[in-house]
Amino acid sequence: MTIALPHQPAELDAVIFDYNGVIGLQPTVPMWSRLAELAGWPADQLGPFQNAFWSAREPYDSGQLDDADFWTAVLGHLPAPELLTQLRAVDTSLWTRTDDRVVALLHHAQRAGLPIVLLSNAPHPVSDALDASGWRTLMTDALYSARLGMNKPHPDIYRNALAATGASDPTRVLFVDDRADNCQAAAGLGLRTLHYTGSPTDIEAHLRLTTIAA
């Protein structure tokens, strides 16, 4: 039996990154509170607001709901145009802060010549904002659920991402996501996975191997 030693791992041909919870920082409580206040929810009702928010988020992320549909579901009524614009802007700001430590690793991977694909469950406004970010140029491609019409963990979304990497062997492609169910779905298609729990050194440990092999 052959045992793969830590300093002799298999090379990677590409890496697929989730955004929120990996490259992107999670919203803080004050940020959530600001959005809830704008939406007209009482200060002591943040939990119920978040429940209403997430209950409608999946069809919004997949593009089945537009901005007005989503916020109507959250608020229980159609917001006025000016309020809708504000809600969309503040909501987008919640999801577009990045972890500089992970962005540095993206630079590291690009310098090593590793194709990088972004795969994110994100509605159209967030997708557009991420595409306008400076670090987006480090990506070979970026795939968003709202544009594909499906969310992770749908199997086809991983097939699209794998095709975007240009790699033919899924076992030589690393998928990084902060959700275990997304990683399990990717692994089911043969992708190598890293369930990210907030430590950039875990990502670095995988990417360093590619740089050494390059």
Side-chain angles (χ1 to χ4, degrees), residues 13 48 132 145 167 190:
D13 290 339
S145 57

Side-chain angles (χ1 to χ4, degrees), residues 156-190:
D156 284 346
I157 204 168
Y158 302 102
R159 295 188 179 100
N160 277 275
L162 180 61
T165 67
S168 57
D169 184 355
T171 66
R172 292 170 62 91
V173 177
L174 176 68
F175 172 69
V176 184
D177 199 291
D178 68 323
R179 289 184 49 165
D181 57 337
N182 290 339
C183 289
Q184 290 166 1
L189 295 175

